[in-house]
């Protein structure tokens, strides 16, 4: 496996870095405080090709690999986890689900608008009572001639209010049975489809999280993705890529916190010397650097296997689990290095600290990742 960073990836990293520093960094705390979802930022990222990184050029995307995708999410998250999360959700969940399981007509219809962020995407699997237990979902779709009638709710949905199109997994069979769910594309404005409560969150506050509600929502069968009954199976495959996204998001947050802590430790003086000279601080930085490097390599391995079309369930779960936990530990230690200043909103690490925690929860908790890793390891 060759993880050498090529010139294209370096150019993309610099482009995203410049964009984030110019258009995101000056406003990120205002957005965080007010919970403003800055939709215009994603429109601009769409113009740069960053909202359709994995989409082939024939559908209006950038046609790049998971290595470049990792770079995009990571570089955004180094500045703001909220924006990084929304970039990841749009690319890896909604857009990638249609790319992976849509027919040609569906791809032609939706991917060009998603890849340019003319349309913002949402993805609906989670429900209030069925987070990790997605096979027991209550949102149903019932066949009615050439249509399907959706009823129920999806919770904790990124872009649940502002998304122009949502990929929704609904139960079409008996609970807890194999092949009991099916996937549909639902456009905003469809009768019976509306947004519900927007969540008031600890972190990632500029990334919109809201309910999606369906009440006798009529969806034509042509909006069905794949075969009837394949919804859960599709979702698990989409989550393999989604876990690479969260690993990349976690890495960005961890690296952002580490860079801030390193810089501060060189500038902050106590007892007539920079605090980086003290073993208590330098050993923290050493642990942070080592864990970030390990998480990076796990994520690169998952990217490589995904690019090659190899089984990646175990590797994606490992990358997501380890990188998310590293992000939390790194942000925690960064706050500690900043001391009292780290507990204020005048310095960046308190936001990294709040944002990092979601990475251990979203797209499968750390506990679920351990189940996946154990199952895959024992099967081998």
């Amino acid at each position: 496996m060759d993880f050498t960073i090529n010139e294209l990836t370096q150019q993309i990293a610099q482009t995203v870095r410049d964009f984030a520093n110019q258009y995101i960094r000056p406003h990120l705390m205002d957005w965080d405080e007010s919970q403003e979802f800055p939709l215009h930022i994603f429109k601009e990222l769409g113009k740069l090709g960053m909202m359709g990184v994995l989409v082939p050029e024939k559908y209006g995307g950038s046609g790049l690999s998971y290595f470049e995708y990792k770079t995009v999410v990571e570089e955004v998250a180094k500045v703001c986890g909220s924006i990084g999360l929304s970039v990841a959700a749009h690319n890896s969940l909604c857009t990638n689900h249609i790319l992976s399981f849509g027919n040609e007509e569906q791809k032609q219809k939706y991917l060009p608008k998603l890849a340019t962020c003319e349309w913002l995407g949402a993805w609906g699997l989670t429900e209030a009572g069925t987070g990790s237990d997605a096979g027991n979902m209550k949102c149903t779709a019932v066949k009615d001639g050439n249509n399907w009638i959706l009823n129920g709710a999806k919770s904790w949905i990124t872009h649940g209010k502002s998304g122009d199109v949502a990929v929704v997994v609904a139960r079409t069979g008996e609970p807890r049975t194999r092949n009991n769910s099916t996937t549909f594309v639902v456009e905003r404005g469809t009768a019976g489809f509306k947004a519900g409560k927007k969540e008031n969150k600890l972190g990632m506050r500029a990334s919109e999280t809201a309910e999606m509600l369906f009440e006798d929502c009529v969806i034509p069968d042509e909006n069905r993705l794949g075969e009837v009954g394949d919804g859960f199976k599709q979702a698990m495959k989409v989550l393999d890529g989604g876990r690479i996204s969260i690993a990349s998001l976690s890495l960005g947050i961890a690296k952002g916190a580490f860079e801030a802590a390193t810089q501060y430790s060189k500038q902050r003086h106590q007892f007539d010397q920079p605090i980086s000279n003290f073993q208590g601080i330098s050993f923290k930085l050493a642990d942070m650097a080592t864990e970030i490097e390990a998480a990076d390599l796990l994520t690169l391995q998952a990217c490589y296997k995904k690019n090659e079309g190899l089984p990646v369930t175990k590797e994606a779960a490992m990358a997501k689990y380890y990188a998310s936990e590293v992000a939390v530990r790194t942000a925690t230690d960064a706050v500690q290095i900043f001391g009292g200043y780290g507990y204020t909103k005048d310095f960046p690490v308190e936001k990294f600290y709040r944002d990092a925690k979601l990475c251990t929860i979203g797209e499968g908790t750390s506990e679920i990742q351990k189940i996946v890793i154990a199952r895959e390891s024992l099967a081998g």
Side-chain angles (χ1 to χ4, degrees):
M1 289 182 280
D2 183 7
F3 297 155
T4 303
I5 305 300
N6 60 35
E7 185 177 353
L8 173 62
T9 306
Q10 291 175 346
Q11 290 175 348
I12 290 171
Q14 190 60 55
T15 297
V16 178
R17 199 175 299 133
D18 291 344
F19 179 91
N21 283 323
Q22 182 175 355
Y23 296 105
I24 299 174
R25 192 180 296 279
H27 310 289
L28 62 89
M29 289 309 297
D30 289 336
W31 297 336
D32 183 81
E33 288 288 317
S34 65
Q35 298 194 71
E36 177 184 349
F37 179 61
L39 182 58
H40 66 283
I41 289 294
F42 303 101
K43 300 294 186 182
E44 294 301 318
L45 283 167
K47 294 176 184 177
L48 292 176
M50 304 309 169
M51 299 298 277
V53 182
L54 302 168
V55 176
E57 292 182 24
K58 69 176 182 178
Y59 300 121
S62 298
L64 299 173
S65 78
Y66 269 83
F67 289 129
E68 288 77 43
Y69 176 53
K70 168 186 178 291
T71 299
V72 170
V73 175
E74 186 179 308
E75 290 296 333
V76 173
K78 281 183 184 179
V79 176
C80 180
S82 293
I83 307 303
L85 174 62
S86 279
V87 169
H90 174 92
N91 273 280
S92 70
L93 298 179
C94 177
T95 303
N96 191 50
H97 200 136
I98 296 173
L99 176 63
S100 298
F101 298 103
N103 58 37
E104 186 61 26
E105 183 179 350
Q106 291 166 337
K107 291 177 183 179
Q108 293 283 358
K109 180 178 181 180
Y110 294 111
L111 291 179
K113 292 182 178 181
L114 288 166
T116 58
C117 204
E118 178 183 344
W119 280 6
L120 185 70
W123 192 73
L125 176 66
T126 302
E127 298 178 9
T130 57
S132 299
D133 185 18
N136 197 29
M137 67 182 69
K138 301 296 189 291
C139 182
T140 61
V142 177
K143 190 78 184 298
D144 181 23
N146 290 324
N147 297 317
W148 294 83
I149 313 300
L150 268 64
N151 279 286
K154 294 294 179 178
S155 302
W156 302 101
I157 308 303
T158 305
H159 313 146
K161 181 178 179 181
S162 297
D164 298 287
V165 61
V167 172
V168 180
V169 184
R171 185 163 57 80
T172 50
E174 293 301 315
R176 298 191 184 283
T177 58
R178 291 179 60 85
N179 305 320
N180 76 338
S181 60
T182 305
T183 309
F184 303 90
V185 180
V186 186
E187 297 178 25
R188 187 70 62 182
T190 302
F193 173 31
K194 64 180 182 180
K197 175 189 175 185
K198 179 181 176 181
E199 302 297 340
N200 184 8
K201 299 174 296 182
L202 168 73
M204 301 291 195
R205 290 167 61 84
S207 177
E208 177 188 280
T209 306
E211 291 178 315
M212 296 192 302
L213 307 177
F214 304 94
E215 184 177 356
D216 294 331
C217 181
V218 180
I219 306 299
D221 189 57
E222 65 191 41
N223 282 32
R224 172 173 47 84
L225 290 174
E227 299 300 319
V228 174
D230 282 353
F232 186 75
K233 186 191 308 181
Q234 292 175 6
M236 294 304 101
K237 291 180 179 178
V238 168
L239 282 173
D240 281 345
R243 286 163 181 163
I244 294 174
S245 297
I246 301 301
S248 304
L249 177 68
S250 302
L251 274 171
I253 291 171
K255 290 181 179 182
F258 174 71
E259 290 171 5
T262 301
Q263 182 180 13
Y264 181 81
S265 74
K266 294 176 180 179
Q267 297 171 347
R268 172 71 167 172
H269 282 65
Q270 292 286 277
F271 305 101
D272 301 320
Q273 58 184 308
I275 63 172
S276 58
N277 286 355
F278 298 113
Q279 193 175 81
I281 300 299
S282 64
F283 277 17
K284 283 187 186 296
L285 293 170
D287 286 339
M288 292 157 76
T290 302
E291 290 193 335
I292 288 171
E293 190 75 14
D296 210 340
L297 289 170
L298 279 172
T299 307
L300 286 168
Q301 175 184 241
C303 289
Y304 171 83
K305 291 204 166 187
K306 188 69 173 174
N307 287 338
E308 296 297 313
L310 299 171
V312 73
T313 299
K314 181 176 73 173
E315 290 77 9
M318 285 179 168
K320 194 273 184 188
Y321 164 57
Y322 188 72
S324 64
E325 296 291 342
V326 166
V328 171
R329 287 195 293 271
T330 300
T332 300
D333 282 345
V335 170
Q336 194 71 16
I337 288 171
F338 271 76
Y341 292 113
Y343 204 66
T344 72
K345 294 182 181 292
D346 295 327
F347 292 85
V349 290
E350 73 85 28
K351 184 175 183 298
F352 287 128
Y353 181 77
R354 289 185 290 107
D355 287 349
K357 188 56 193 171
L358 179 68
C359 297
T360 69
I361 299 170
E363 296 193 34
T365 63
S366 290
E367 291 74 19
I368 288 293
Q369 304 315 311
K370 289 182 182 181
I371 292 172
V372 173
I373 294 163
R375 183 185 65 221
E376 294 293 316
S377 299
L378 290 168

